[in-house]
Amino acid sequence: MRTTGQGRTIAALLALTGVLCGCTVQGADGKGGQGSPVHIEVPGSTASSSAASGSAAGDEGGGRDEKGRPGTPPPAAPSPARVLWSPGASGRDVRELQARLRQVAWLFDGPTGTYDTATEKAVRGFQGKRGLPVTGRVDTVTWQRLLRMTREPGRWELYLMGGQPADAPDPRCLTGRVLCISKSSRTLRWMIDGRTVSTMAVRFGSQYTPTREGVFRIYWKSRHHVSTLYDSPMPYAMFFSGGQAVHFSRDFAARGYAGASHGCVNVRDEAAIAELYAQVRKGDKVVVHW
């Protein structure tokens, strides 16, 4: 009995040793012969599964080099510059754009405050000269380049050709028929009983030939007047103080506030002053104020 028990123990140990070593054992068939070999994997062997999972991970991860190391992701495409103003835009910012383009001699008209064809052409020229994308639209890159090349425009550069808002009328303008002329806003209001009928930009005399201030009356009108002192045309002249009159000025229409009168109140809009001339009567009040 003891010998038989020891023999069984030894046989079990030998069988276990074979399993742990991963060897091939032969199974006996029912006739005592040798059967087909059976391969037994040693527990814990993960070589093939690791390789498979590694391959799968490589397929999923994508960005790896030929040695399986994580690769560098491709650089992100740069964002396009934001467009600030384009044809059709209007406002004070467009005036500043136009004033700055005038400073670098890419625009000669205006500012008008409207992004028109002339402004688009000027922007294209500026962009092409600086090697920027020629779009005719002002983006952040174009604007920063223009800012570096120019200075902050003054008020009368922004309104070189008129278009500025009129300030509040002087109290002396609130009754009767009045040409209410402000030197502060450089505007003329045609007013009747406190109501503004029309408003237009005006220009005054220089420091050497200043326009007089105060309350006056229209004493003479001359549709095709020519100055006897300066030999210059003064169409639609409405005289209010000596030789000083409100009249149309071709120089003002062409140069804006870059020039000055000899003391008269110049109007640049011929259609506007033609209409005003037809309404103003001899004896109507004129108030020139700050």
Side-chain angles (χ1 to χ4, degrees), residues 51-93:
S53 63
S55 174
D59 290 343
E60 286 182 13
R64 294 178 178 272
D65 59 19
E66 64 278 2
K67 295 184 179 180
R69 296 173 299 191
T72 302
S79 301
R82 182 168 61 91
V83 174
L84 302 176
W85 308 289
S86 58
S90 61
R92 192 271 181 198
D93 290 341

Side-chain angles (χ1 to χ4, degrees), residues 6-20:
Q6 290 177 346
R8 291 176 179 171
T9 301
I10 293 171
L13 289 174
L14 290 175
L16 179 60
T17 302
V19 170
L20 292 176

Side-chain angles (χ1 to χ4, degrees), residues 126-205:
F126 178 82
Q127 290 172 327
K129 183 72 172 181
R130 271 78 199 173
L132 303 173
V134 180
T135 64
R137 301 185 299 274
V138 179
D139 55 28
T140 52
V141 175
T142 301
W143 180 237
Q144 288 301 318
R145 180 68 63 87
L146 183 59
L147 286 179
R148 290 195 295 269
M149 297 178 62
T150 55
R151 54 176 172 75
E152 180 75 17
R155 180 184 183 187
W156 300 115
E157 286 181 278
L158 295 175
Y159 295 98
L160 181 67
M161 308 307 290
Q164 68 274 15
D167 58 5
D170 186 279
R172 296 169 292 180
C173 300
L174 299 180
T175 57
R177 298 164 57 89
V178 189
L179 292 174
C180 191
I181 301 169
S182 170
K183 284 190 170 183
S184 297
S185 62
R186 299 185 181 182
T187 55
L188 180 156
R189 288 177 183 261
W190 168 229
M191 304 183 68
I192 300 178
D193 296 329
R195 178 177 61 89
T196 299
V197 179
S198 60
T199 304
M200 59 200 73
V202 294
R203 185 178 73 171
F204 305 101

Side-chain angles (χ1 to χ4, degrees), residues 83-134:
V83 174
L84 302 176
W85 308 289
S86 58
S90 61
R92 192 271 181 198
D93 290 341
V94 175
R95 282 187 180 276
E96 181 175 348
L97 165 66
Q98 293 169 328
R100 290 180 182 273
L101 287 170
R102 282 179 59 87
Q103 290 179 21
V104 291
W106 279 106
L107 189 64
F108 300 97
D109 298 329
T112 63
T114 300
Y115 203 121
D116 51 16
T117 302
T119 303
E120 181 182 7
K121 183 178 179 181
V123 170
R124 286 181 175 274
F126 178 82
Q127 290 172 327
K129 183 72 172 181
R130 271 78 199 173
L132 303 173
V134 180

Side-chain angles (χ1 to χ4, degrees), residues 179-255:
L179 292 174
C180 191
I181 301 169
S182 170
K183 284 190 170 183
S184 297
S185 62
R186 299 185 181 182
T187 55
L188 180 156
R189 288 177 183 261
W190 168 229
M191 304 183 68
I192 300 178
D193 296 329
R195 178 177 61 89
T196 299
V197 179
S198 60
T199 304
M200 59 200 73
V202 294
R203 185 178 73 171
F204 305 101
S206 68
Q207 60 177 326
Y208 306 106
T209 56
T211 302
R212 289 183 281 275
E213 299 151 24
V215 179
F216 311 92
R217 296 283 175 177
I218 296 295
Y219 70 89
W220 183 34
K221 294 173 62 179
S222 179
R223 167 66 180 82
H224 301 287
H225 193 78
V226 177
S227 171
T228 56
L229 183 61
Y230 299 105
D231 193 30
S232 58
M234 299 169 57
Y236 305 101
M238 294 172 280
F239 289 89
F240 62 88
S241 177
Q244 294 189 354
V246 177
H247 68 85
F248 172 68
S249 170
R250 289 187 175 83
D251 182 73
F252 186 22
R255 300 171 58 208

